[in-house]
Amino acid sequence: SFTGPKGLIPTPCHRLRTPQLPTSADVEFCLSLMQYETGTMDKMANFSFRNTLEGFASPSTGISNLSQSSLHNALHIYMNGSMSQVQGSANDPIFILHHAFVDSIYEQWLRRHKPQLQAYPEANAPIGHNRGYFMVPFIPLYRNGEFFISSKELGYDYEYLVEPDSPFQTFLTPYLEQARQIWPWLLGAAVIGAIISMAIKGLITLGTQKKKRNVEETQPLLMEDENYPHITYQSHL
């Protein structure tokens, strides 16, 4: 959660900007906002999930309020020190924990509202923030819009967001795990079995052909018929 160390006291100027840390109710209101962006992706956007989560809009009304900081911004300011400085906040160990939690809120919103890619601004956003722009300075290069998807599609999940399995799936999981561990052996056995079957079939076919050929060779060259003495080679034309 956003709850910080109890012994940490913000400076007087910080108390004015951040009178309290965000609450669960603030997070829930933010998640209820249906639009990812409502303006030009700036601090003045109202009823914008992005702007509210970032901390430039009130987490109780969704209206932009630059005199106070909330949600994401609130903890940066409340923690004071390096965390309150944009240039150096990433050097604070708390930064990773804080942003992982903020990302999980973003993930909850994506799962709840399932927005289309078009919901992410294609133009008029601040420099570097349009949908088709590359995220810098990260390598390899990815566009902003490529991350407007659930974390599950990117190969990771948040433990507290994992959906419980159905009873049938719970029953089946250990067996699937065992099958996953032994599938190379099963595949190998299947291949060997197929080879042996083909070899046996080939031997049977070869034996059948030889037997048939031997039977044909024992037949007389000419028909043994009662009219045999009267057969001539003359043409009946």
Side-chain angles (χ1 to χ4, degrees), residues 141-234:
L141 295 175
Y142 289 99
R143 300 180 188 275
N144 293 316
E146 295 180 67
F147 287 91
F148 199 58
I149 56 177
S150 171
S151 66
K152 292 189 290 187
E153 297 183 53
L154 298 172
Y156 69 96
D157 202 350
Y158 297 89
E159 184 176 1
Y160 81 103
L161 296 182
V162 174
E163 299 175 358
D165 296 332
S166 64
F168 176 74
Q169 189 172 1
T170 302
F171 168 79
L172 203 59
T173 297
Y175 297 100
L176 293 176
E177 180 62 24
Q178 292 180 9
R180 185 186 66 82
Q181 294 176 359
I182 66 174
W183 77 264
W185 300 96
L186 295 175
L187 180 61
V191 172
I192 294 174
I195 294 174
I196 293 175
S197 298
M198 292 175 64
I200 293 175
K201 181 180 179 181
L203 291 173
I204 293 174
T205 302
L206 183 61
T208 303
Q209 290 176 348
K210 285 185 176 181
K211 183 177 180 181
K212 183 177 180 181
R213 189 161 50 247
N214 292 336
V215 171
E216 291 176 349
E217 290 176 353
T218 60
Q219 298 296 323
L221 297 178
L222 296 175
M223 294 184 298
E224 294 182 358
D225 189 273
E226 57 182 3
N227 296 322
Y228 174 73
H230 305 289
I231 296 177
T232 66
Y233 292 100
Q234 294 181 358

Side-chain angles (χ1 to χ4, degrees), residues 26 29 33 51-52 55-65 70-71:
D26 294 337
F29 175 84
L33 296 171
N51 202 38
T52 304
F56 295 113
S58 169
S60 57
T61 65
I63 302 298
S64 174
N65 183 1
S70 60
L71 293 182

Side-chain angles (χ1 to χ4, degrees), residues 72-73 75-99:
H72 160 264
N73 291 345
L75 191 67
H76 275 283
I77 294 175
Y78 188 89
M79 294 298 292
N80 208 349
S82 59
M83 268 291 281
S84 64
Q85 304 298 319
V86 175
Q87 298 86 347
S89 60
N91 295 321
D92 195 308
I94 298 297
F95 179 91
I96 299 297
L97 298 177
H98 175 45
H99 274 259

Side-chain angles (χ1 to χ4, degrees), residues 6-47:
K6 294 182 179 179
L8 189 63
I9 301 177
T11 60
C13 63
H14 288 169
R15 287 198 191 98
L16 296 177
R17 290 193 59 82
T18 311
Q20 67 176 23
L21 287 173
T23 65
S24 297
D26 294 337
V27 174
E28 183 55 37
F29 175 84
C30 182
L31 288 170
S32 71
L33 296 171
M34 300 181 64
Q35 292 182 280
Y36 179 78
E37 191 55 77
T38 58
T40 56
M41 218 175 194
D42 58 20
K43 301 177 182 180
M44 302 303 296
N46 296 322
F47 308 111

